[in-house]
Amino acid sequence: MIADRYATALFELADSSGSLDQVAGDLKTLQAMLRESADLRRLVDSPVLSREQQGAAIAAIAKAAGFSELTSKFLGLAAKNRRLFTLYGVIASYLGRLAARRGEKSATVASAVSLTPAQQDALTTALKAAFGGNVAVEVKVDPSLLGGLVVQVGSRMVDSSLKTKLQHLKLAMKGVG
Protein backbone atom coordinates (compact mmCIF):
# COMPACT_ATOMS: atom_id res chain seq x y z
CA MET A 1 0.00 0.00 0.00
CA ILE A 2 1.43 3.36 -1.07
CA ALA A 3 0.31 5.22 2.05
CA ASP A 4 2.11 2.73 4.33
CA ARG A 5 5.35 3.10 2.37
CA TYR A 6 5.17 6.88 2.58
CA ALA A 7 4.29 6.72 6.29
CA THR A 8 7.19 4.35 6.96
CA ALA A 9 9.64 6.63 5.18
CA LEU A 10 8.35 9.71 7.00
CA PHE A 11 8.41 7.88 10.34
CA GLU A 12 12.00 6.73 9.86
CA LEU A 13 13.14 10.21 8.83
CA ALA A 14 11.36 11.78 11.78
CA ASP A 15 12.81 9.16 14.13
CA SER A 16 16.37 9.69 12.89
CA SER A 17 16.03 13.46 13.24
CA GLY A 18 14.36 13.24 16.66
CA SER A 19 11.19 14.95 15.49
CA LEU A 20 8.57 12.21 15.84
CA ASP A 21 6.31 14.33 18.07
CA GLN A 22 6.70 17.45 15.96
CA VAL A 23 5.75 15.62 12.76
CA ALA A 24 2.87 13.90 14.58
CA GLY A 25 1.60 17.31 15.68
CA ASP A 26 1.85 18.59 12.11
CA LEU A 27 -0.03 15.58 10.80
CA LYS A 28 -2.77 15.92 13.42
CA THR A 29 -3.17 19.57 12.45
CA LEU A 30 -3.31 18.59 8.77
CA GLN A 31 -5.86 15.88 9.59
CA ALA A 32 -8.07 18.44 11.33
CA MET A 33 -7.65 20.84 8.39
CA LEU A 34 -8.66 18.10 5.94
CA ARG A 35 -11.69 17.26 8.05
CA GLU A 36 -12.82 20.90 8.24
CA SER A 37 -12.03 22.22 4.75
CA ALA A 38 -13.78 20.97 1.65
CA ASP A 39 -11.45 23.14 -0.45
CA LEU A 40 -8.39 21.41 0.99
CA ARG A 41 -9.94 18.00 0.37
CA ARG A 42 -10.58 19.01 -3.25
CA LEU A 43 -6.95 20.15 -3.58
CA VAL A 44 -5.66 16.85 -2.23
CA ASP A 45 -8.03 14.65 -4.24
CA SER A 46 -8.12 16.58 -7.53
CA PRO A 47 -6.57 14.88 -10.56
CA VAL A 48 -7.23 18.05 -12.58
CA LEU A 49 -4.68 20.26 -10.80
CA SER A 50 -1.10 20.06 -12.04
CA ARG A 51 1.83 18.95 -9.88
CA GLU A 52 3.01 22.53 -9.74
CA GLN A 53 -0.38 23.86 -8.66
CA GLN A 54 -0.76 21.23 -5.95
CA GLY A 55 2.83 21.73 -4.83
CA ALA A 56 2.50 25.51 -4.58
CA ALA A 57 -0.82 25.27 -2.74
CA ILE A 58 0.35 22.64 -0.25
CA ALA A 59 3.60 24.57 0.35
CA ALA A 60 1.60 27.71 1.15
CA ILE A 61 -0.64 25.75 3.50
CA ALA A 62 2.34 24.15 5.25
CA LYS A 63 4.01 27.54 5.68
CA ALA A 64 0.84 29.20 6.99
CA ALA A 65 0.27 26.32 9.44
CA GLY A 66 3.87 26.50 10.66
CA PHE A 67 4.71 22.89 9.82
CA SER A 68 8.24 21.63 10.42
CA GLU A 69 10.73 21.52 7.57
CA LEU A 70 10.47 17.73 7.38
CA THR A 71 6.67 17.76 7.12
CA SER A 72 6.77 20.55 4.54
CA LYS A 73 9.31 18.71 2.41
CA PHE A 74 7.30 15.50 2.69
CA LEU A 75 4.13 17.26 1.53
CA GLY A 76 6.08 18.82 -1.36
CA LEU A 77 7.38 15.41 -2.39
CA ALA A 78 3.89 13.90 -2.20
CA ALA A 79 2.58 16.70 -4.43
CA LYS A 80 5.49 16.30 -6.87
CA ASN A 81 4.80 12.56 -7.11
CA ARG A 82 1.02 13.13 -7.43
CA ARG A 83 0.42 11.27 -4.17
CA LEU A 84 -1.44 13.88 -2.09
CA PHE A 85 -4.52 11.65 -2.23
CA THR A 86 -2.66 9.19 0.03
CA LEU A 87 -2.41 11.71 2.89
CA TYR A 88 -5.40 10.26 4.74
CA GLY A 89 -3.73 6.84 4.89
CA VAL A 90 -0.27 8.28 5.56
CA ILE A 91 -1.55 10.21 8.58
CA ALA A 92 -3.38 7.19 10.00
CA SER A 93 -0.41 4.89 9.44
CA TYR A 94 2.14 7.32 10.90
CA LEU A 95 0.06 7.98 14.02
CA GLY A 96 -0.56 4.24 14.39
CA ARG A 97 3.17 3.52 14.22
CA LEU A 98 3.88 6.21 16.80
CA ALA A 99 1.20 4.84 19.14
CA ALA A 100 2.59 1.30 18.77
CA ARG A 101 6.11 2.55 19.52
CA ARG A 102 4.83 4.15 22.71
CA GLY A 103 2.74 1.15 23.70
CA GLU A 104 -0.46 3.14 23.28
CA LYS A 105 -3.76 1.85 22.10
CA SER A 106 -5.64 4.16 19.81
CA ALA A 107 -9.30 4.86 20.31
CA THR A 108 -11.71 6.58 17.98
CA VAL A 109 -14.68 8.26 19.59
CA ALA A 110 -17.59 9.64 17.60
CA SER A 111 -20.08 11.92 19.30
CA ALA A 112 -23.10 13.86 18.09
CA VAL A 113 -21.69 17.15 19.41
CA SER A 114 -18.23 18.43 20.23
CA LEU A 115 -16.97 17.26 23.60
CA THR A 116 -15.69 19.80 26.10
CA PRO A 117 -12.08 19.45 27.27
CA ALA A 118 -13.38 18.18 30.64
CA GLN A 119 -15.50 15.53 28.90
CA GLN A 120 -12.54 14.48 26.73
CA ASP A 121 -10.33 14.18 29.81
CA ALA A 122 -12.97 12.09 31.63
CA LEU A 123 -13.38 9.87 28.56
CA THR A 124 -9.61 9.39 28.22
CA THR A 125 -9.35 8.52 31.91
CA ALA A 126 -12.18 6.00 31.63
CA LEU A 127 -10.63 4.38 28.56
CA LYS A 128 -7.24 4.14 30.28
CA ALA A 129 -8.89 2.43 33.23
CA ALA A 130 -10.86 0.07 31.00
CA PHE A 131 -8.04 -0.92 28.65
CA GLY A 132 -5.01 -0.41 30.87
CA GLY A 133 -2.08 1.76 29.95
CA ASN A 134 -2.00 4.65 27.56
CA VAL A 135 -4.84 5.30 25.17
CA ALA A 136 -4.56 7.89 22.39
CA VAL A 137 -8.07 9.22 21.80
CA GLU A 138 -9.22 10.77 18.53
CA VAL A 139 -12.58 12.49 18.81
CA LYS A 140 -14.82 13.01 15.78
CA VAL A 141 -18.17 14.75 15.53
CA ASP A 142 -20.95 12.88 13.72
CA PRO A 143 -24.28 14.75 14.01
CA SER A 144 -26.15 11.75 12.55
CA LEU A 145 -25.65 9.91 15.86
CA LEU A 146 -28.24 12.26 17.46
CA GLY A 147 -26.76 11.62 20.92
CA GLY A 148 -24.44 9.29 22.81
CA LEU A 149 -21.06 7.95 21.75
CA VAL A 150 -19.51 5.33 19.52
CA VAL A 151 -16.15 4.20 20.93
CA GLN A 152 -13.77 1.95 19.01
CA VAL A 153 -10.53 0.63 20.48
CA GLY A 154 -8.82 -1.79 18.15
CA SER A 155 -11.43 -4.31 17.01
CA ARG A 156 -13.74 -3.64 19.99
CA MET A 157 -16.62 -1.24 19.53
CA VAL A 158 -19.15 0.13 21.97
CA ASP A 159 -22.09 1.90 20.33
CA SER A 160 -24.29 3.79 22.76
CA SER A 161 -25.58 6.26 20.19
CA LEU A 162 -29.20 7.29 20.12
CA LYS A 163 -29.28 6.52 16.39
CA THR A 164 -28.45 2.85 17.01
CA LYS A 165 -30.88 2.57 19.91
CA LEU A 166 -33.67 3.95 17.71
CA GLN A 167 -32.78 1.49 14.96
CA HIS A 168 -32.96 -1.41 17.42
CA LEU A 169 -36.31 -0.16 18.69
CA LYS A 170 -37.60 0.13 15.12
CA LEU A 171 -36.57 -3.45 14.38
CA ALA A 172 -38.14 -4.70 17.61
CA MET A 173 -41.40 -2.93 16.80
CA LYS A 174 -41.49 -4.45 13.30
CA GLY A 175 -41.20 -7.89 14.87
CA VAL A 176 -44.21 -7.23 17.14
CA GLY A 177 -46.58 -6.15 14.34
Side-chain angles (χ1 to χ4, degrees), residues 25-173:
D26 292 346
L27 292 179
K28 286 178 183 177
T29 301
L30 181 60
Q31 186 177 45
M33 292 166 67
L34 283 165
R35 194 173 17 248
E36 295 168 8
S37 173
D39 289 337
L40 181 56
R41 287 191 302 273
R42 277 192 293 279
L43 166 74
V44 166
D45 295 332
S46 176
V48 177
L49 297 174
S50 70
R51 295 172 198 253
E52 293 77 22
Q53 290 171 321
Q54 281 185 323
I58 204 74
I61 290 166
K63 183 177 180 181
F67 290 164
S68 68
E69 182 180 354
L70 178 59
T71 305
S72 298
K73 285 183 177 181
F74 170 77
L75 292 173
L77 177 70
K80 179 181 173 192
N81 292 340
R82 305 283 294 168
R83 296 289 189 251
L84 284 179
F85 67 92
T86 66
L87 284 179
Y88 309 102
V90 169
I91 293 169
S93 181
Y94 182 95
L95 296 177
R97 286 176 191 279
L98 186 59
R101 159 88 56 99
R102 292 180 175 158
E104 292 177 339
K105 292 182 170 99
S106 62
T108 305
V109 177
S111 66
V113 295
S114 295
L115 299 178
T116 66
Q119 289 171 325
Q120 286 186 18
D121 291 342
L123 181 63
T124 301
T125 303
L127 289 172
K128 284 181 181 180
F131 291 97
N134 292 331
V135 178
V137 180
E138 178 189 350
V139 180
K140 298 178 182 179
V141 176
D142 182 359
S144 72
L145 295 178
L146 303 174
L149 297 172
V150 177
V151 180
Q152 183 168 1
V153 180
S155 62
R156 295 179 64 188
M157 177 187 269
V158 177
D159 187 345
S160 66
S161 68
L162 189 55
K163 177 182 176 182
T164 301
K165 289 179 181 179
L166 289 172
Q167 287 173 343
H168 289 303
L169 183 61
K170 181 179 177 183
L171 288 173
M173 299 211 36

